Amino acid sequence: MLGVPHFVPHLCDPPELALHGAAAIEEPTSAPTDASWKFVVEPYLWLAGIDGDGSADSSPPTSIDVWGELSGAFMIRGEVRTRSGFTFLADGLTLTLKDEDGFTQTRTEATMGELGIAVPIADGARVDAIAGVRRIDLDFDVELGGVATGSAGADWIDPWIGARGNFDLGDDWSVLVRGDVGGFGVGSDFTWQAAASFDVALSDTFHLEFGYRAISIEFDDDDLEFAALIHGPLLGLAIVF
């Protein structure tokens, strides 16, 4: 939930990109079989890059192509599964990406916070309908030939809707998928998120997740224009209690 979100990949133990990491518990997303609540906390690493275009203040439109230049990041997600089967979702991340090659240098700093809810679509199904809001704080700086050309920032809140699923592979392995769309002109012009990952149950308490996450953002105001895809592999360790 720049969610993923999570995507966040996500937990599909009865009610993910969360905009990220996610972990699955082995039970399906239908009504819980016990009266207890369950909690998931998952720190994760998203090795993201950016492809797209942006302009800040008076700078000309600038191509953004950043890989392997993640200069700072913090990412964590959580879920709370209630007795009724609903799951509350939360995902937060901050990352800084710099492109310092050639004549054009860019710096993108993004902070995202996501809150949502997951609802089982049908009894016995392993698919949830998901919806929520995502706050994005974006700063974009441009230098041409070592001279600062433009710097701008904006923050906004996007609504989003989507779905997620958990598909059992056996032997403590499962596949998690999530997709959502949002913005709709409320904050950004449009945004979408997609994530897919494998979940490995190391024990009842610990789950290892690895996969891929992508978030697309299209935003335009007087000072900042940004249309880019932030994407890359992710690795997380979920703690279930």
Side-chain angles (χ1 to χ4, degrees):
M1 145 93 112
L2 308 171
V4 121
H6 203 127
F7 124 315
V8 188
H10 59 285
L11 161 68
C12 281
D13 185 32
E16 108 146 170
L17 119 187
L19 276 150
H20 105 119
I25 305 176
E26 295 173 347
E27 300 174 19
T29 56
S30 56
T33 57
D34 57 56
S36 64
W37 289 45
K38 292 213 174 161
F39 303 84
V40 176
V41 177
E42 181 182 7
Y44 65 95
L45 177 62
W46 186 25
L47 301 176
I50 300 181
D51 293 309
D53 298 284
S55 66
D57 199 6
S58 58
S59 73
T62 303
S63 176
I64 312 168
D65 185 5
V66 183
W67 281 104
E69 298 293 338
L70 185 66
S71 59
F74 176 77
M75 302 152 190
I76 192 167
R77 64 169 293 278
E79 296 193 6
V80 178
R81 190 197 75 184
T82 68
R83 295 185 181 92
S84 62
F86 297 95
T87 299
F88 296 103
L89 315 173
D91 192 354
L93 66 89
T94 182
L95 53 83
T96 302
L97 292 144
K98 295 181 179 180
D99 183 2
E100 299 179 342
D101 294 330
F103 181 77
T104 302
Q105 298 85 41
T106 64
R107 177 181 179 273
T108 305
E109 182 174 348
T111 300
M112 301 184 213
E114 177 180 290
L115 294 174
I117 188 169
V119 181
I121 291 177
D123 289 342
R126 299 177 67 86
V127 177
D128 303 331
I130 57 176
V133 293
R134 181 182 300 121
R135 184 182 185 275
I136 300 176
D137 189 338
L138 180 67
D139 291 295
F140 184 61
D141 303 325
V142 180
E143 292 185 6
L144 299 177
V147 178
T149 306
S151 178
D155 61 84
W156 64 90
I157 294 177
D158 283 333
W160 55 265
I161 58 173
R164 67 179 191 173
N166 173 15
F167 304 96
D168 187 19
L169 300 178
D171 295 329
D172 298 323
W173 284 72
S174 60
V175 172
L176 313 175
V177 294
R178 168 180 168 161
D180 63 69
V181 295
F184 313 120
V186 176
S188 62
D189 296 329
F190 186 70
T191 181
W192 62 262
Q193 176 175 206
S197 60
F198 290 100
D199 177 273
V200 186
L202 305 178
S203 68
D204 290 341
T205 303
F206 297 102
H207 288 243
L208 179 67
E209 179 198 0
F210 57 96
Y212 206 87
R213 179 183 188 181
I215 299 177
S216 175
I217 298 173
E218 297 179 16
F219 180 83
D220 186 359
D221 69 3
D222 294 337
D223 298 320
L224 176 64
E225 295 183 16
F226 191 84
L229 179 67
I230 303 175
H231 60 116
L234 63 85
L235 177 67
L237 180 65
I239 304 169
V240 183
F241 57 96

